[in-house]
Amino acid sequence: MRSQAVKGTHDILPDEQPAWRQLAEAAAVEFGRAGARQLTTPVFEYSEVFEKSVGASADLVVQKEMYSFEDRGGRRLTLRPEFTAGVLRAFIEHGMHTLPTPVKLWSAGPLFRAENVQRGRYRQFHQLNLEIIGLSQALADAEAVQLLYAILRRCGLARVHMRVGSVGDPEDRAAYNAYLRQALEPHQAELSETSRERLRLNPMRVLDSKAEQDQALLAGLKRPVDFLGEAARAHLDEVTGHLRDWQVPFEIDPGIVRGLDYYRRTAFEAHAQGIGAQSALGGGGRYDGLIENLGGPPLPGVGWALGSERVLDAMAQERAVHADEPRPLLFLVPLDEPAVAEVARMAVRLRRGRHVEHAYVRRNPGKGLRDADRSGAVFAGLRGDTERSRGVLQLKRLATGEQTEVAEDELARFLDEHA
Ligand code: AMP
């Protein structure tokens, strides 16, 4: 038996759960207040769902990263590498286009990509995802950015900055890609292998490269924002106008791009300081034609995904985690054999509304109090022969050592009053 987690996967240990809950709660609050509704889709889909969304001119880098397999019925299935395709598949399948627009859907859960593992880059990781469907106005793009920022702030992150750019309309994109091809093709040999492949399939994506040799070649070149047509430029101005109006801090990033071909106009990212090279917490953009591509009506959309592990890393760096593991109010200690069943019965009864734990074997008072201390309980409750004969418990407030005798049938009330 291999007693190790698969490379690039992680256990989320009990001690880490409060931070995860803090993130989940921050997201649920902000999404809920903005009228976004939660959608849970399966972790695997027919491979076509992702292949179609990735598009004909597939960014191969993404395709190679998919965990695909055939099931026993010979169906080709893929573990989801991103949320958007599955969410839009569900949107179409359940006829959600008849709902009043915009339809705002959020999702959370694990994703799977066969990546090169490094800090902040795993093979199973988690995202929070938002899609705002049905609005072509810049207002939707701005709201998407604002919500991303609001969730990160609610997580307690102060050192977050938003970058906003635009990949333009399809013709602007095409013009920029042609420009990059022309500029970089003579230097192909100097590019990294990934960038060479990207130059062939989706030249813009070379801008995403972290390799020094690629960045050196890109240094003097123009950025997508320099190629915007009038309409895309006006759209970007409107988005940034709203963000200023709402006091969402951001900077224009002229070189921001999105991996897949269906993105157009607005592209944005959230970054954090101090979490290493993989500083992107999340990113998103506007997509058009994707819903149609997947067999739905021609509706526009804008969406983003936030990497949970990276947000948690940033929260740890900024010491922003304050959610604590819940502590018991009472830890019961049986001092003799008959008390073992008695304290278990009391615990079950008291747990209607309270956190109560107990020792499972007879303890002497010293050991029992140590157990209670380790549990982090507010009170320890001792029960032995003497207490039984009088129908009471000795209650000790662990922080002060203060001790009180409480009658069994007064216990619930006492705890509620003195907690
Ligand atoms: P993407 O879906 O590629 O646009 O990524 C959105 C966000 O998800 C990124 O900004 C990261 O925070 C996170 N992310 C993407 N890929 C990974 C990965 N392999 N491991 C951990 N986080 C990731």
Side-chain angles (χ1 to χ4, degrees):
M1 197 189 85
R2 304 268 297 263
S3 53
Q4 264 183 355
V6 173
K7 184 177 173 196
T9 71
H10 293 282
D11 302 305
I12 304 172
L13 298 173
D15 281 349
E16 299 166 318
Q17 299 289 348
W20 281 80
R21 269 199 301 277
Q22 191 177 325
L23 171 59
E25 280 160 17
V29 167
E30 294 296 337
F31 282 138
R33 290 181 183 176
R37 304 180 70 208
Q38 187 173 7
L39 172 69
T40 305
T41 61
V43 294
F44 55 86
E45 300 269 354
Y46 289 116
S47 302
E48 294 96 88
V49 172
F50 300 113
E51 288 163 1
K52 271 194 206 160
S53 84
V54 168
S57 63
D59 185 318
L60 261 202
V61 184
V62 173
Q63 275 210 328
K64 269 194 288 190
E65 286 176 359
M66 294 207 277
Y67 282 106
S68 297
F69 58 98
E70 247 186 42
D71 72 1
R72 282 192 289 179
R75 288 168 281 258
R76 288 197 315 116
L77 306 175
T78 296
L79 296 183
R80 64 182 179 207
E82 53 130 22
F83 270 110
T84 306
V87 168
L88 296 182
R89 192 269 309 139
F91 174 87
I92 297 164
E93 186 171 335
H94 301 285
M96 290 190 227
H97 61 277
T98 59
L99 297 171
T101 49
V103 178
K104 300 179 192 170
L105 297 170
W106 72 271
S107 304
L111 302 177
F112 308 87
R113 294 183 195 171
E115 307 245 31
N116 289 322
V117 177
Q118 52 180 294
R119 179 176 176 191
R121 195 161 281 288
Y122 312 111
R123 294 187 174 161
Q124 174 173 337
F125 61 100
H126 297 74
Q127 283 186 346
L128 289 160
N129 185 82
L130 172 72
E131 308 295 343
I132 303 179
I133 303 164
L135 278 189
S136 53
Q137 290 100 301
L139 199 50
D141 313 42
E143 187 178 22
V145 176
Q146 186 273 331
L147 264 170
L148 179 53
Y149 180 70
I151 289 174
L152 292 169
R153 287 310 307 257
R154 182 168 288 278
C155 286
L157 295 176
R159 298 193 311 228
V160 178
H161 56 116
M162 310 298 293
R163 299 182 190 163
V164 181
S166 174
V167 294
D169 282 311
E171 56 278 17
D172 309 334
R173 228 188 133 107
Y176 183 68
N177 277 334
Y179 161 80
L180 263 194
R181 252 197 203 109
Q182 206 177 21
L184 291 177
E185 258 164 14
H187 303 283
Q188 281 213 44
E190 297 152 62
L191 284 171
S192 68
E193 195 194 326
T194 313
S195 290
R196 256 202 310 279
E197 194 161 16
R198 284 174 171 168
L199 185 61
R200 198 163 61 74
L201 294 159
N202 188 0
M204 267 192 178
R205 283 271 281 151
V206 176
L207 294 180
D208 270 348
S209 169
K210 300 236 157 46
E212 261 173 46
Q213 77 242 51
D214 298 344
Q215 286 306 327
L217 282 174
L218 289 167
L221 299 183
K222 293 186 178 173
R223 295 292 187 257
V225 162
D226 303 319
F227 276 73
L228 296 187
E230 239 174 74
R233 162 59 62 189
H235 190 90
L236 177 60
D237 289 345
E238 247 191 273
V239 174
T240 55
H242 289 305
L243 293 176
R244 275 188 205 102
D245 187 22
W246 304 341
Q247 278 151 25
V248 176
F250 69 93
E251 60 200 60
I252 292 276
D253 183 340
I256 213 162
V257 295
R258 300 297 302 155
L260 305 178
D261 257 11
Y262 52 75
Y263 281 103
R264 54 176 286 189
R265 297 196 174 176
T266 318
F268 52 91
E269 285 176 0
H271 285 262
Q273 280 144 19
I275 62 163
Q278 306 293 335
S279 73
L281 299 176
R286 169 166 288 283
Y287 48 82
D288 276 0
L290 178 58
I291 299 180
E292 221 174 344
N293 232 353
L294 289 167
L299 286 171
V302 51
W304 54 250
L306 187 60
S308 304
E309 281 80 359
R310 293 202 197 159
V311 176
L312 289 160
D313 193 358
M315 283 165 68
Q317 296 288 324
E318 284 203 33
R319 305 192 189 290
V321 179
H322 23 253
D324 280 328
E325 200 56 68
R327 305 185 319 140
L329 176 57
L330 174 65
F331 188 98
L332 292 161
V333 179
L335 299 175
D336 61 13
E337 269 325 312
V340 173
E342 286 169 6
V343 300
R345 188 186 317 117
M346 286 179 204
V348 168
R349 188 164 46 82
L350 289 167
R351 279 177 190 164
R352 292 180 198 137
R354 298 163 209 90
H355 179 167
V356 178
E357 297 185 25
H358 61 83
Y360 289 83
V361 292
R362 176 170 55 84
R363 291 309 233 170
N364 67 42
K367 281 217 175 87
L369 284 173
R370 215 172 318 136
D371 290 347
D373 238 351
R374 281 188 58 177
S375 78
V378 180
F379 290 104
L382 302 171
R383 171 78 166 193
D385 193 32
T386 332
E387 288 77 20
R388 181 174 310 106
S389 65
R390 306 228 304 276
V392 300
L393 246 88
Q394 292 299 333
L395 236 54
K396 188 169 181 145
R397 188 182 275 277
L398 288 162
T400 59
E402 176 195 348
Q403 197 157 320
T404 331
E405 191 175 281
V406 181
E408 266 172 64
D409 45 11
E410 288 293 308
L411 199 51
R413 203 174 50 79
F414 180 90
L415 288 171
D416 294 345
E417 275 172 16
H418 293 84

